[in-house]
Amino acid sequence: MIVIDGRKTSVDLKNELKADIEHCRVATGKIPGLAMVLVGDNPSSQVYVRNKAKTCKEIGIGAKVIEMPDETPQEKLLEVVAGLNLDPDINGILVQQPLPSHIDEFTTTLAIDPSKDVDGFHPENLGQLLLGRLDNCFVSCTPFGILELLTRYGIETTGKHCVVVGRSDIVGKPMANLMLRKDDAANCTVTVCHSLTRELPFFTRHADILIVAIGNAGFITSDMVKPGAVVIDVGNNRIEDHDAKSGFRVVGDVDFRSVSAVASAMTPVPGGVGPMTIAMLMKNTVLSFKRMNALQGP
Ligand code: GUN
């Protein structure tokens, strides 16, 4: 069984991006810039934004963090986004979610210029992805990171049955559309399942590539997996653990111990899909910089 190491792959990718950013700097005299807007004081969001800003600095991306109080009116947030849309030093904009309940997340997403939407949440970007126009859009970072892992580990996808468990706008829907594309790194037959799917094990047992993003600790057990399948675990669930200093540990949606006995390759949690997400945000920001400066690039 091959353990698909997202931690190592994310380090490789960040090192490649660092070199690429230096080439960009020499060619243009500028560096990519990512703006992150944080509204309110959600502790998890604060940690996420801090980690994203730290990664920017490590690889040479300019990070602009804009913190706004919890009671910020929606119009004020939209004004800030409009300013960032026009700022030539900013190539990527993300508004960290969740937002306070009086602010509409969809309205906020619509306000971001799609050509700076490095989260890939704007309907324009999702629409381009649906049409297979990857050269013309941004793909949501978690599914994009999974595609990168499958490619870098040489996982054969053409003609394979890919089953995606989860139908969220951020992971399940873009993931299914990525794997459905006419492309050597995709060309899958795709089935999308979710929490209300009847006879879910029937579908998961028919997967050559099983991608699970359902948010339920240890939900997929070995009897639900076809021998030899490639299993990708997007889960990030905290469970109580009295032996851990923090009182909890993080586990995936897949029962790693039992499934690792039947799968041919799988991602661990932690250290699988998670570390790839920030790395792909950096990749999208560099991609945006190159598009805005008409530079060649992957
Ligand atoms: N909240 C949790 N994950 C994400 C993400 O990838 N982007 C944004 N903007 N908010 C998030």
Side-chain angles (χ1 to χ4, degrees):
M1 210 276 303
I2 295 164
V3 176
I4 298 176
D5 187 343
R7 201 166 277 145
K8 180 189 173 298
T9 308
S10 73
V11 170
D12 292 347
L13 178 57
K14 284 184 279 187
N15 284 332
E16 290 161 24
L17 288 170
K18 191 173 179 177
D20 204 8
I21 292 163
E22 180 55 16
H23 287 135
C24 289
R25 195 187 62 76
V26 170
T28 65
K30 298 187 284 188
I31 57 167
L34 174 63
M36 287 158 278
V37 185
L38 177 59
V39 187
D41 43 21
N42 179 312
S44 304
S45 293
Q46 286 171 333
V47 172
Y48 287 139
V49 169
R50 205 181 306 139
N51 286 340
K52 289 171 187 175
K54 185 167 152 258
T55 308
C56 283
K57 289 194 183 104
E58 278 165 15
I59 67 169
I61 291 176
K64 179 173 183 158
V65 177
I66 300 169
E67 294 188 54
M68 303 177 80
D70 196 66
E71 62 276 11
T72 301
Q74 172 148 320
E75 297 69 46
K76 179 71 194 153
L77 174 60
L78 295 180
E79 265 174 42
V80 166
V81 170
L84 295 169
N85 283 342
L86 295 174
D87 186 339
D89 294 333
I90 296 299
N91 307 102
I93 302 169
L94 76 82
V95 178
Q96 188 66 27
Q97 294 181 0
L99 287 167
S101 55
H102 66 279
I103 297 179
D104 184 56
E105 283 180 350
F106 190 57
T107 304
T108 311
T109 299
L110 286 178
I112 298 173
D113 181 340
S115 71
K116 294 190 178 186
D117 168 39
V118 285
D119 259 334
F121 292 174
H122 193 288
E124 163 122 10
N125 282 314
L126 280 162
Q128 297 277 13
L129 166 59
L130 186 70
L131 299 173
R133 301 282 308 271
L134 249 55
D135 54 337
N136 214 22
C137 76
F138 292 110
V139 179
S140 174
C141 301
T142 298
F144 205 17
I146 293 169
L147 183 70
E148 188 79 20
L149 284 175
L150 294 174
T151 305
R152 289 191 185 223
Y153 274 82
I155 307 288
E156 189 59 53
T157 55
T158 293
K160 297 286 175 72
H161 186 195
C162 176
V163 175
V164 179
V165 184
R167 54 174 161 175
S168 71
D169 295 340
I170 294 178
V171 181
K173 285 178 194 165
M175 191 76 241
N177 284 287
L178 271 178
M179 301 313 288
L180 193 58
R181 285 172 312 129
K182 240 184 218 181
D183 188 283
D184 287 345
N187 286 330
C188 284
T189 303
V190 177
T191 300
V192 183
C193 301
H194 50 81
S195 57
L196 297 177
T197 297
R198 285 191 197 168
E199 318 248 12
L200 182 76
F202 168 84
F203 293 99
T204 57
R205 272 198 295 268
H206 281 87
D208 300 308
I209 300 170
L210 179 61
I211 303 177
V212 190
I214 196 142
N216 198 338
F219 180 74
I220 299 286
T221 46
S222 58
D223 55 310
M224 298 167 78
V225 177
K226 174 165 141 177
V230 173
V231 181
I232 306 293
D233 189 350
V234 188
N236 183 21
N237 311 292
R238 278 184 179 193
I239 60 165
E240 245 181 62
D241 181 351
H242 297 299
D243 294 335
K245 227 173 22 188
S246 57
F248 70 86
R249 72 193 154 93
V250 175
V251 298
D253 292 348
V254 178
D255 177 32
F256 189 90
R257 202 184 49 80
S258 74
V259 174
S260 59
V262 291
S264 63
M266 69 186 289
T267 57
V269 177
V273 173
M276 289 301 288
T277 300
I278 290 188
M280 297 313 285
L281 176 69
M282 302 296 123
K283 188 176 166 105
N284 276 347
T285 305
V286 174
L287 196 60
S288 177
F289 178 88
K290 287 182 171 177
R291 286 177 185 161
M292 288 170 71
N293 289 278
L295 294 175
Q296 291 294 319

